[in-house]
Amino acid sequence: MNAAGFPILSLVTWLPLAGCIVIMAVRGDEETVASNARWTALWTSLLVLALSLVLWVKFDPREPGFQFNESVTWLPHYRIAYKMGVDGISVLFVLLSTVLTPICILASWESIHTKVREFMLAFLVLETMLVGMFCAADFVIFYMFFEGVLIPMYLIIGIWGGPRRVYAAVKFFLFTLTGSVLMLLALIAMWLHAGTTDISVLMDTRFPVQMQTWLFFALMASFAVKVPMWPVHTWLPDAHVEAPTAGSVILAGVLLKMGAYGFLRFSVPMLPDASQYYAPLIYTLSVIAVIYTSLVALAQEDMKKLIAYSSIAHMGVVTIGIFTFNEQGIQGALFQMLSHGIVSAALFLVVGVVYDRIHSRDIVRYGGLADRMPAYALVFMVFTMATIGLPGTSGFVGEVLVIIGSAQINFWLALLGGLGMILGAAYMLYLYRRVIFGTITHADLRNILDLSPREWTVFAPLIALTLWMGVYPSSFTGFFDESVAAMVQHHHAAVSNTVKFAQGTQGDKQQR
Amino acid sequence: MNWTLALPEIVLACLGMAILIFGVVRKQDSTVLATMFTIGAFLVTGFLVMTRASGTGFNGQFVTDAFASFNKELILLGGALSLILSLDWNRTQGIARFEYPVLVLFATVGMMVMVSASNMMSLYLGLELQSLALYVLAAFARDDQRSSEAGLKYFVLSGLASGLLLYGISLVYGFSGTMDFEALHGALMTPSAAPAGLIVGLVFVVVGLAFKISAVPFHMWTPDVYEGAPTPVTTFFATAPKVAAMALLLRMMGTSFAELVPAWQSLIVLMSIASMVLGTLAAIGQRSIKRLMAYSSIGHMGYALIGLAVGSSDGVRGVLVYMTIYVLMSAGMFACILAMKRGGRPAEQIADLSGLATSDPGLALAISVFMFSLAGIPPMAGFFAKLYIFLAAVKGGLWTLAIIGVLTSVVGAFYYIRVIKVMYFDPPAEAFDRRPPALSFVVAATGLFTAFFFLFPAAVVDAAEMASRVLFR
């Protein structure tokens, strides 16, 4: 049995579905059902959050491997088991998902008023899929959760989204599915090669270098779409703009981390040679993403679209960090993922606040909000600074670690990657100035209301987390120090082995 | 001679005649009773199939083994489900006649003979018994022009296919001197020595059977027959005969021609690719949900053929798992289509589903489960069907097929999720009529199977594993 004494990971994963059953069981008129669905969903997600805090307390940061392991036979002939486990890399993402879900439910308390029950159902199913994906210790189980995310997310964008929701939902679905099915082939090939799909066994399996190359591209097809990397990022702005606020929050907060998590969990440890060989390709795409999407963000007229493009740029920094293969780089990438999960989620909520009041996301529609909404201006400022990477906020730590990590690879990589911070400051401050400062030009802004207590409840934990991560980062990095160190060591050992082997065979040839 | 091997078929045929006599003798309308008796007969037969020992009887004409039993159970299941679904529909559409269940029963006997055939002769007997009953069923709504057209179309094209099949059989016989599957296998031990005429015969046989499973390019009849035939008949068409023809194809390729894999592999690969591509691309433009299902079934047969193309028992296992899941999810989907009625008249357009999530959330949920499953999205059953097929393909090194397969499944996902889009994202239309309870029962049972297959995949997979060991030894 595991450290918690009971199958905690399965409980955290499947508990939201129990909430679904309760919500579905309710009968009555629409108002009763809606209010019941809201409260049940909120309490379920809070219960899940409370349970997941057991992971925070009981997790042993000195142990690099999987913890809280669970295993149930599932398809014994194929050596696939229902395996759950978290290590330093995944544990914080489980927490990120469980923290953001109640926040999303709170944020959509009033803004969703049609089909409330179905919305809450979709969200709880989504939580199950996300948590299950981060907990999976078996590739097939991972894949099922990874693709299963599509179903609730497709519905969330398509039913409760904006005017072009159908286009956005279908585009999101098809982009992601195309990548995923290629990963499925890679999964099958790895399964046949290793004889099992247990992730920890696969990490120690040596795949032939030739095979690694195409496995790497098959996996990349899937993860790059999710990250999203340039040039397969085009689904993201559409999905973000059309999704309801809570949908954007979970999309930016957790769904974008799925791709980067996939790189860290599968590509880098299982395919070390191919990862090393194709790292320059990833660098190139990431640098293009950072610079290009930052420039695109500068030109946006729509607040959500601007933040969506900034997300792509930030995720570009993450992929650079992952493929530096040194401790600073990978730690920075992980930290940046967590920080971006909190900060970009918060920024979408910030946009949601004014959207709920004015029903417009056009930047020109606003101006001078500081006058009427001082508290809002403050909250907006905190997250703007965090996304820019001001020291003392969470954004700083991740970016700096990645830059340090990439400077060990190449000076230009560090410089170009770091350019994102400067451009980020440009577009975010420009946005902030246009929305918050200046004079009020639109009449309806004169009697706009400041943050409500419910909105404060939503933002308070996010502000606290942002500052905590910025001021005392080691309470978070402590979780993944050992896992990352083990991963880096494993990677370099594997690569130098291959090099030695290659030199050995060459030497043999020369002797002959 | 061990005639007890064929006891299930004999019993079913006798019961069928008894029900026929009962229906003729009894003066008043006895459709419901006849249907119930037929379902009862299916249950008895299913039990008998389960208790059969393996062996060959009737001088090598007839074989029972795990493979035959697996497919027979599946055929009986498909037949029973489509009979349950037919009851209410036939009554309201004014085509309730006691001959209907009897025809389904005799078609089923034919299919059971097909999967147990171990000789070209019994193969052809079973196939024709099945086809004759199916021609009548397709035209069962005889006053409806579309139904008569479907029946005639099916008759003409199926007759052509049977002719090709017979021609192929005669060529095979002429060049090898035997019609027995095992003897053929023995005669073809050295593939290089196989005469060219025999290969030509083989091609004709494959073409004849490809028609029955509606693989491209022998698929033309499918959309018209699916659309024209009464919907319960379409349900039957989409399930049991597909299983029987696929099983027959597997058995022939897996025994007689098992050593000739290189000779027929490219043929199957081509048909598989063409079916997947055409099935998915042609479905995109469809407005009628029945035609959509027709093209979808063409596509699905393309996926199942991947398993055959591999030419190993892994592939056969994949096909069997695929067919099991396919039968249950398409029966469930057709049950949902049968529920689409407004004012007693069937509504068959995809647009009729508009806003179903508001007017009937239960049905909308069920349809989305089937649609996601048909698209192969985990954790639905359809994903596992594809998983085992692709597993076999990758293991067999058929990379092109696997890659085309996954990419067409993405294209396929487009039209499946479009149906979900219509139900969930579009404004609600007028509600459908109340469903009869039998329909709700079938929808719920197959829906639960499809949605929760992931909890217990081992049972079906193990049974398919047992069955697949018989072939490609």
Side-chain angles (χ1 to χ4, degrees), chain A residues 268-343:
Chain A
V268 173
M270 292 177 194
L271 314 167
D273 303 312
S275 301
Q276 185 78 36
Y277 188 77
Y278 290 105
L281 173 70
I282 302 278
Y283 297 150
T284 315
L285 294 179
S286 307
V287 165
I288 294 175
V290 168
I291 294 172
Y292 169 74
T293 53
S294 296
L295 291 174
V296 173
L298 261 177
Q300 293 309 311
E301 297 295 323
D302 181 310
M303 288 197 263
K304 260 186 158 180
K305 219 168 193 168
L306 191 150
I307 298 166
Y309 277 109
S310 88
S311 288
I312 305 170
H314 284 293
M315 292 312 288
V317 174
V318 170
T319 42
I320 292 178
I322 292 172
F323 283 85
T324 56
F325 311 112
N326 54 43
E327 283 186 40
Q328 292 88 344
I330 295 181
Q331 288 208 5
L334 274 167
F335 203 89
Q336 173 78 348
M337 280 155 77
L338 292 169
S339 153
H340 179 260
I342 302 281
V343 174

Side-chain angles (χ1 to χ4, degrees), chain A residues 110-124:
Chain A
E110 281 153 17
S111 54
I112 300 293
H113 27 69
T114 52
K115 296 193 184 142
V116 178
R117 175 182 12 200
E118 285 77 5
F119 183 83
M120 296 300 164
L121 285 176
F123 241 91
L124 290 179

Side-chain angles (χ1 to χ4, degrees), chain B residues 295-314:
Chain B
Y295 282 108
S296 144
S297 86
I298 295 171
H300 280 285
M301 287 306 121
Y303 291 110
L305 280 176
I306 295 180
L308 175 58
V310 175
S312 69
S313 62
D314 283 328

Side-chain angles (χ1 to χ4, degrees), chain B residues 117-392:
Chain B
S118 62
N119 187 302
M120 301 277 185
M121 207 59 113
S122 44
L123 175 162
Y124 192 72
L125 274 179
L127 189 73
E128 282 308 288
L129 176 56
Q130 176 225 224
S131 303
L132 274 176
L134 289 183
Y135 302 146
V136 185
L137 280 174
F140 203 74
R142 60 181 177 196
D143 299 329
D144 178 7
Q145 222 172 5
R146 286 196 310 165
S147 178
S148 313
E149 185 196 325
L152 192 63
K153 209 170 233 169
Y154 186 55
F155 175 67
V156 171
L157 288 172
S158 190
L160 180 70
S162 293
L164 290 174
L165 182 68
L166 266 184
Y167 187 56
I169 290 174
S170 63
L171 278 175
V172 169
Y173 178 64
F175 280 94
S176 66
T178 177
M179 286 204 274
D180 187 82
F181 288 1
E182 286 298 327
L184 267 170
H185 181 240
L188 296 172
M189 268 308 188
T190 44
S192 50
L198 189 132
I199 304 290
V200 175
L202 169 64
V203 171
F204 276 110
V205 170
V206 170
V207 166
L209 292 175
F211 176 87
K212 302 288 173 187
I213 58 167
S214 63
V216 177
F218 313 103
H219 65 285
M220 274 74 149
W221 60 278
T222 318
D224 295 337
V225 173
Y226 269 47
E227 194 188 16
T231 314
V233 177
T234 314
T235 316
F236 188 57
F237 268 76
T239 52
K242 292 257 154 70
V243 176
M246 187 55 93
L248 187 54
L249 196 55
L250 284 174
R251 188 186 288 282
M252 280 190 67
M253 296 300 153
T255 52
S256 327
F257 305 117
E259 309 299 327
L260 292 181
V261 173
W264 52 261
Q265 189 176 42
S266 50
L267 187 66
I268 303 287
V269 166
L270 269 179
M271 286 199 320
S272 168
I273 292 177
S275 305
M276 290 189 292
V277 171
L278 189 125
T280 45
L281 291 184
I284 291 175
Q286 300 306 321
R287 294 217 173 81
S288 153
I289 187 114
K290 278 168 89 178
R291 283 186 87 87
L292 179 97
M293 286 303 289
Y295 282 108
S296 144
S297 86
I298 295 171
H300 280 285
M301 287 306 121
Y303 291 110
L305 280 176
I306 295 180
L308 175 58
V310 175
S312 69
S313 62
D314 283 328
V316 176
R317 182 191 60 212
V319 179
L320 291 179
V321 173
Y322 202 99
M323 294 310 289
T324 312
I325 292 171
Y326 172 76
V327 163
L328 280 157
M329 67 187 177
S330 40
M333 188 55 217
F334 276 107
C336 295
I337 296 175
L338 284 166
M340 293 166 59
K341 267 196 213 167
R342 285 209 182 91
R345 293 188 56 79
E348 285 172 1
Q349 301 300 309
I350 296 174
D352 290 323
L353 287 167
S354 179
L356 190 67
T358 312
S359 52
D360 191 346
L363 188 63
L365 182 70
I367 296 181
S368 24
V369 164
F370 294 125
M371 284 294 148
F372 279 126
S373 181
L374 287 165
I377 309 292
M380 307 303 171
F383 165 70
F384 291 91
K386 293 213 166 83
L387 179 67
Y388 289 108
I389 286 288
F390 291 135
L391 181 65

Side-chain angles (χ1 to χ4, degrees), chain A residues 74-75 77-78 154 158 214, chain B residues 317 383 388 399 417 425 454 462:
Chain A
W74 191 50
L75 278 170
H77 288 315
Y78 300 89
Y154 170 68
W214 75 259
Chain B
R317 182 191 60 212
F383 165 70
Y388 289 108
W399 280 104
I417 64 171
F425 307 169
F454 72 93
D462 288 352

Side-chain angles (χ1 to χ4, degrees), chain A residues 14 24 74-78 80 115 118 129 140 143-145 147-151 154-155 157-159 165-166 169-170 173-174 177-179 181-182 184-189 191-192 214, chain B residues 317 357-358 361 365 372 375-380 383-384 387-388 390-391 394-395 399 402-403 406-407 409-410 413-414 417-418 420-421 423-426 454-458 461-462 465:
Chain A
W14 299 107
M24 282 206 274
W74 191 50
L75 278 170
H77 288 315
Y78 300 89
I80 305 175
K115 296 193 184 142
E118 285 77 5
M129 295 296 172
V140 174
Y143 184 82
M144 289 184 54
F145 284 118
E147 267 209 53
V149 167
L150 288 182
I151 299 176
Y154 170 68
L155 296 175
I157 299 175
I159 301 180
R165 63 208 158 95
V166 174
V170 172
F173 195 100
L174 293 182
L177 186 62
T178 314
V181 292
L182 294 173
L184 177 65
L185 291 183
L187 182 161
I188 291 173
W191 176 5
L192 290 172
W214 75 259
Chain B
R317 182 191 60 212
T358 312
L365 182 70
F372 279 126
I377 309 292
M380 307 303 171
F383 165 70
F384 291 91
L387 179 67
Y388 289 108
F390 291 135
L391 181 65
V394 170
K395 204 168 178 181
W399 280 104
I403 291 170
V406 294
L407 291 180
S409 79
V410 175
F414 170 72
I417 64 171
R418 204 189 52 181
I420 297 170
K421 175 227 137 197
M423 292 191 303
Y424 279 88
F425 307 169
D426 287 359
F454 72 93
L455 291 177
F456 48 86
V461 177
D462 288 352
E465 168 88 43

